[in-house]
Amino acid sequence: MSMNRKLMLSGAATMLAMLAVAVQSPATGYNNYSVVFAGTAPHFVAVGDFNNDGNLDLVSANYDSNSVSILLGNGNGTFQAAQNFNCGSYPISVAVADFNGDGNLDVAVANNGNNVEGAGDLVIMLGNGNGTLQAPVSYTTQGSPFYVAVADLNGDGSPDVVLAAHGAPVQVFLNTGNGTLESEVSYSAGGNPQSVAIADYNNDGIPDLAVANSKTNNVSILLGNGDGTFQTAKNYDVGTSPSVVAAGDFNAEGYMDLAVTNNGSNSVSILINNGSGGNGTFGNQTVLSANAGPSGLALTDITGNSITDIVITNQNGTSETVQTYLGNGTGTFESPTSYASGDQPRIVAVGDFNNDGAPDLAVACSQGNLNVYMNNGGTYITLGGSPNPAQPGQSVTFTATVTQSIPPGFGTPTGSVTFYNGSTLLGTGTLNSSGVASYTDSSGFPAGSYTIYANYSGDTNYNPNSAPALTETVGAPTVVLTPTSLSFPTQLVNTTSAAQNVTLMNTGTATLTITNISTTGNFASSNTCGSSVPAGGSCTISVTFTPTGSGVRSGKLSVTDNASGSPQTVSLSGMGTVVSVSPSSLNFGNQTVGTTSAPQTVTVTNDGTTSINIAKISFAGGDPGDFAQTNNCGASLGASSSCAINVTFTPHAKGARFSTLGIYDNGGGSPQAVPVSGTGTGT
């Protein structure tokens, strides 16, 4: 029989009396739970982001299936199917930390061994950062491991491990810094240590230990020395069979107090820290009544009033419930509110599972599954600024919309929203009937970039919350176009040139908003700019030339935007021609000096709709006397007609010889040039 099942039997005599506590659903509380499936008999649940997506996930210790489950959160209060990883014999507790400093969360597991001395162990399972775990690395322990806690005990920046085990002292495993642990060092506490709460109880900046001892019905305080070692325990009486101990400041005095669930006496013990004069000591317990078999314990701020509240689980019989005790801020608590639970709720963990700013609950039911309770008081806040970007000195209105995250039926959130520029207060707006508050800064901001925050005050039904930060940009965009003109080479009419690029740069301090990019004349453009370019950003505008007629063609590229000088322009020019030549060059290869090559032909075509005049055809540049031509082109060439120019090569000297064949006409782009070349060789 597991220790959890043994604890269920204790306190049975008082269970019936506790059934009179009604199961309620207050405005500032939790919805009915939803079930999430993990491994078999989950005895423990903890919270962390195991795949680094910003959403909280769950990890459970599954006592009867010898596994831990990772359930990745979707960020809306639901979870993906469990991934199960073998971890050892009867896992009963888990703790989450980055043991090897790689930025990924890892898991420490206390394997109970079903309360058989020597059958259990402590294991570390390193995380891969994607929601999966590596194989467990085992460490020998004393007794039957029951609870694992983690903190940096010696100030070296690496989390260490503290283990509570039945039949053994408290055991401390210091981290070597790479995720492996040193051998355990033991410290005496009370009988059957069952849980550990690590906190600074004497305000010396050094972690201390509070240990709940189920056999001796007390809590041991072991003050830390700062090097991972601890002083002799001092014990404080609590109730019967204390189960879980947790640390929090219940009276707002700046010192950590303690809460302890007493499984055998159906109560919660509150130990108030004696403060500066006590040096880590505590007063006598005060007792809160609970349902039967209180086991799990977590501290959180349920209602968002900055006062610590208590959440417990009761695992015995028909009073299986989750109970919440709202704090008064004086070390006292209101009467509990009870919520129905699954079968034997054992451990409770707290996290904001739907990112609405309010703490939700995950409960491990050791004879069932995981139960998730969503906080009714959660809200989502959206924040906007108008205009954004704004001009320097321009009036800007910030608007926050507050909506409930789940439908508890308590209506639209009320209260106020306070707006900040960084840490500087701007002003406050009251929520209207639609949950919208606004603030107008009529003086405006100087040029620059500002981080705006909005904090919702909360009301009777809804927790305070903060909106994601808004970046408000103030200043003017500035457009620089490079180059400021484009000139295209001669292009055959009705054909499209290769593109030439213009770079648009926004050198200003505000986002450039583009309303239009266009061209005139025989030019077209495409771009990568989209509708906006951030300050300091750039984009590319590609321009092509498709002449519709011969001669010089002109146009303009225009960019219309919110920058000064809009529209900004780039002048465009190109030459259209109706004359095409083929091929575009001639090479005669090797030719003996003084001999004449075979002719090569250049075809001249008039692609226009009217005749063109040909003034002359001649060679110029280089070695014009080495080349000769005959042609049938005449003085004019009709529309859609071609003529032939036959070119020969007669080198007058050895080596490379070249010139340019020019066709002089009125078809545009004259002269059309055909490079010619050859090499003179010896006899």
Side-chain angles (χ1 to χ4, degrees):
M1 179 180 295
S2 74
M3 180 56 59
N4 180 64
R5 294 165 185 156
K6 289 181 180 179
L7 291 174
M8 181 187 69
L9 300 178
S10 65
T14 59
M15 180 179 66
L16 293 177
M18 306 311 298
L19 296 181
V21 179
V23 175
Q24 305 172 33
S25 182
T28 51
Y30 292 92
N31 275 8
N32 293 332
Y33 66 84
S34 59
V35 175
V36 180
F37 296 95
T40 306
H43 273 43
F44 204 100
V45 63
V47 174
D49 182 2
F50 292 99
N51 60 346
N52 298 314
D53 66 348
N55 299 320
L56 288 180
D57 313 313
L58 301 178
V59 55
S60 67
N62 308 312
Y63 195 84
D64 287 351
S65 56
N66 296 331
S67 66
V68 294
S69 297
I70 299 289
L71 299 94
L72 297 179
N74 296 315
N76 60 1
T78 66
F79 295 86
Q80 300 176 29
Q83 303 177 79
N84 299 315
F85 304 89
N86 294 331
C87 63
S89 176
Y90 297 95
I92 198 168
S93 173
V94 295
V96 176
D98 179 7
F99 291 107
N100 61 349
D102 65 350
N104 301 321
L105 286 183
D106 313 311
V107 179
V109 186
N111 290 315
N112 178 258
N114 208 22
N115 286 314
V116 176
E117 178 75 25
D121 61 353
L122 168 69
V123 301
I124 300 295
M125 305 177 73
L126 297 179
N128 295 313
N130 60 0
T132 64
L133 300 176
Q134 299 177 28
V137 177
S138 175
Y139 296 88
T140 301
T141 63
Q142 301 180 52
S144 300
F146 211 87
Y147 193 99
V148 61
V150 297
D152 180 6
L153 303 177
N154 57 359
D156 66 353
S158 298
D160 309 304
V161 178
V162 181
L163 181 71
H166 286 187
V170 175
Q171 299 159 68
V172 174
F173 298 78
L174 295 181
N175 193 332
T176 63
N178 61 2
T180 62
L181 305 179
E182 298 178 5
S183 298
E184 54 91 8
V185 177
S186 299
Y187 298 89
S188 295
N192 281 358
Q194 180 136 331
S195 67
V196 179
I198 305 174
D200 181 7
Y201 298 114
N202 58 351
N203 276 19
D204 64 353
I206 297 172
D208 311 310
L209 306 181
V211 184
N213 306 301
S214 64
K215 186 175 182 179
T216 51
N217 302 327
N218 58 12
V219 170
S220 299
I221 301 297
L222 294 85
L223 297 179
N225 296 314
D227 58 357
T229 64
F230 294 87
Q231 302 173 29
T232 302
K234 182 174 178 59
N235 298 323
Y236 299 88
D237 291 336
V238 290
T240 305
S241 299
S243 180
V244 175
V245 58
D249 184 2
F250 301 139
N251 57 2
E253 292 184 347
Y255 287 84
M256 299 305 289
D257 310 309
L258 295 174
V260 186
T261 49
N262 302 308
N263 189 272
S265 54
N266 301 331
S267 63
V268 179
S269 293
I270 303 298
L271 299 174
I272 298 299
N273 197 311
N274 288 324
S276 59
N279 194 29
T281 63
F282 293 82
N284 293 332
Q285 66 170 323
T286 58
V287 178
L288 307 176
S289 295
N291 284 354
S295 175
L297 170 65
L299 305 180
T300 187
D301 180 5
I302 296 172
T303 61
N305 61 358
S306 300
I307 297 175
T308 302
D309 308 313
I310 295 175
V311 183
I312 71 169
T313 58
N314 302 287
Q315 62 180 13
N316 286 6
T318 56
S319 67
E320 295 168 324
T321 52
V322 173
Q323 287 186 294
T324 60
Y325 300 76
L326 298 183
N328 296 314
T330 60
T332 62
F333 295 84
E334 298 180 11
S335 298
T337 298
S338 297
Y339 301 88
S341 79
D343 195 358
Q344 292 191 19
R346 188 176 183 279
I347 292 294
V348 57
V350 177
D352 184 0
F353 302 133
N354 59 350
N355 297 309
D356 66 351
D360 309 309
L361 306 178
V363 176
C365 296
S366 61
Q367 297 303 302
N369 297 287
L370 302 180
N371 294 345
V372 175
Y373 297 78
M374 304 307 297
N375 194 313
N376 285 336
T379 55
Y380 296 132
I381 306 180
T382 58
L383 174 62
S386 180
N388 190 6
Q391 297 295 320
Q394 184 178 11
S395 176
V396 179
T397 298
F398 300 107
T399 301
T401 302
V402 182
T403 56
Q404 61 191 50
S405 61
I406 55 178
F410 307 125
T412 302
T414 60
S416 62
V417 175
T418 304
F419 299 87
Y420 294 86
N421 170 23
S423 59
T424 302
L425 174 66
L426 291 175
T428 300
T430 300
L431 292 178
N432 62 21
S433 59
S434 299
V436 178
S438 62
Y439 167 78
T440 298
D441 189 291
S442 57
S443 61
F445 294 87
S449 182
Y450 300 88
T451 302
I452 308 299
Y453 299 96
N455 296 336
Y456 168 51
S457 65
D459 63 13
T460 302
N461 296 319
Y462 297 103
N463 292 54
N465 200 2
S466 298
L470 167 73
T471 299
E472 175 71 24
T473 302
V474 179
T478 302
V479 170
V480 175
L481 297 175
T482 307
T484 57
S485 65
L486 294 178
S487 178
F488 288 82
T490 300
Q491 184 72 28
L492 187 65
V493 293
N494 300 321
T495 65
T496 300
S497 70
Q500 295 190 41
N501 291 333
V502 173
T503 299
L504 184 155
M505 294 180 289
N506 177 8
T507 60
T509 58
T511 298
L512 176 73
T513 301
I514 298 174
T515 56
N516 187 50
I517 297 177
S518 61
T519 55
T520 61
N522 291 167
F523 302 89
S525 69
S526 61
N527 66 82
T528 63
C529 301
S531 60
S532 64
V533 178
S538 64
C539 60
T540 300
I541 304 171
S542 297
V543 181
T544 57
F545 173 44
T546 306
T548 58
S550 62
V552 175
R553 320 298 284 184
S554 299
K556 182 170 59 177
L557 168 68
S558 297
V559 180
T560 305
D561 48 54
N562 65 333
S564 176
S566 175
Q568 297 82 25
T569 61
V570 173
S571 61
L572 308 173
S573 64
M575 177 67 72
T577 183
V578 296
V579 180
S580 62
V581 293
S582 179
S584 58
S585 65
L586 299 178
N587 188 333
F588 288 87
N590 293 332
Q591 185 70 34
T592 302
V593 172
T595 65
T596 300
S597 71
Q600 294 190 39
T601 301
V602 173
T603 301
V604 180
T605 301
N606 176 7
D607 292 294
T609 59
T610 61
S611 295
I612 62 171
N613 297 324
I614 298 177
K616 69 174 180 177
I617 299 173
S618 63
F619 296 96
D623 308 295
D626 287 15
F627 300 90
Q629 61 87 19
T630 60
N631 66 81
N632 62 357
C633 297
S636 65
L637 184 63
S640 302
S641 298
S642 298
C643 65
I645 304 173
N646 294 314
V647 180
T648 57
F649 173 43
T650 306
H652 292 93
K654 293 181 181 180
R657 315 296 286 175
F658 66 93
S659 188
T660 300
L661 173 67
I663 300 102
Y664 296 83
D665 54 66
N666 65 347
S670 177
Q672 282 73 37
V674 179
V676 294
S677 61
T679 301
T681 61
T683 55

